[in-house]
Amino acid sequence: MKHPIIPIRTAALLFGALAGAVLADPPVMRDAATHEQLSLALRKADQQDPMKSLPTTTGEDPSLANRPKDILSESDIISFRGLATLVPKRAILQIPKNHAELIKMEPGAKIVSWSDFYAANRGWITTVEVSRVQAEGNEPLAEETREFMGTCRNLVVATYRGGPISVLPLKEPAPETTTQTPKS
């Protein structure tokens, strides 16, 4: 087997280029911060803490005034065949007469997540995906959705990204007062 021969001139150029690249920018060496330097930096940061300059608030503590309410008072319970789940109030958009008795807690029912309950009962529950704007009551449900709900005989639950969500009543726009200019 024959080895390739590199001309001396080419080898010298390659060696010179590599040596120049290595020696061009020597690595920067830095000392590690000492304990005293770190302590000084911490003291300066403590003295310049912007939280210390904020005024103290007066009045009622918002964390006490806005306590979370009881989850059961804020939810509807759907139960069927030993399973139950909680959905937010106003998430159930339609309750047919034959499903009205299912909107309560069955004695001895096991509470499961919405996804587990829906997977076990998707034969009689229909979900309607709504947008955040629709859930806030700023936009009506689509006309085809309202027509579908008029003919559907299943329990209809509003969902947002797969999870149940309350749908607030549609907000009526404020009546605009127009000023009329007298005609000349």
Side-chain angles (χ1 to χ4, degrees):
M1 186 170 173
K2 209 172 184 186
H3 294 293
I5 299 174
I6 300 174
I8 295 175
R9 188 177 200 185
T10 306
L13 285 174
L14 285 173
F15 180 73
L18 287 174
V22 170
L23 299 176
D25 292 328
V28 178
M29 301 298 281
R30 290 184 279 175
D31 290 330
T34 64
H35 177 72
E36 290 79 24
Q37 291 170 331
L38 291 174
S39 297
L40 179 64
L42 178 63
R43 276 193 302 256
K44 284 182 181 178
D46 282 343
Q47 290 171 355
Q48 298 169 354
D49 186 7
M51 295 301 287
K52 290 180 181 176
S53 64
L54 289 177
T56 58
T57 59
T58 59
E60 189 175 353
D61 184 4
S63 66
L64 298 175
N66 299 320
R67 288 238 178 234
K69 297 179 181 173
D70 177 26
I71 192 169
L72 292 176
S73 67
E74 297 292 317
S75 304
D76 285 327
I77 300 173
I78 308 171
S79 59
F80 185 67
R81 292 190 180 168
L83 295 179
T85 192
L86 301 174
V87 295
K89 294 265 188 206
R90 294 188 172 130
I92 302 175
L93 300 178
Q94 175 176 299
I95 305 171
K97 290 180 184 178
N98 57 336
H99 297 311
E101 71 278 355
L102 302 176
I103 310 300
K104 63 177 174 42
M105 184 66 177
E106 271 182 11
K110 176 184 174 190
I111 296 181
V112 295
S113 69
W114 162 253
S115 57
D116 292 341
F117 187 83
Y118 179 60
N121 297 292
R122 63 180 68 216
W124 58 273
I125 297 176
T126 300
T127 61
V128 173
E129 191 70 18
V130 297
S131 69
R132 177 107 187 213
V133 177
Q134 290 171 324
E136 292 170 346
N138 295 325
E139 185 178 291
L141 295 176
E143 181 64 33
E144 57 199 30
T145 302
R146 290 193 305 258
E147 289 174 4
F148 167 75
M149 286 178 19
T151 60
C152 183
R153 297 191 316 193
N154 289 347
L155 184 81
V156 179
V157 178
T159 58
Y160 177 70
R161 296 183 178 174
I165 187 171
S166 297
V167 177
L168 298 176
L170 187 61
K171 295 175 185 170
E172 296 295 325
E176 295 181 25
T177 56
T178 58
T179 57
Q180 295 181 356
T181 57
K183 294 182 181 179
S184 327

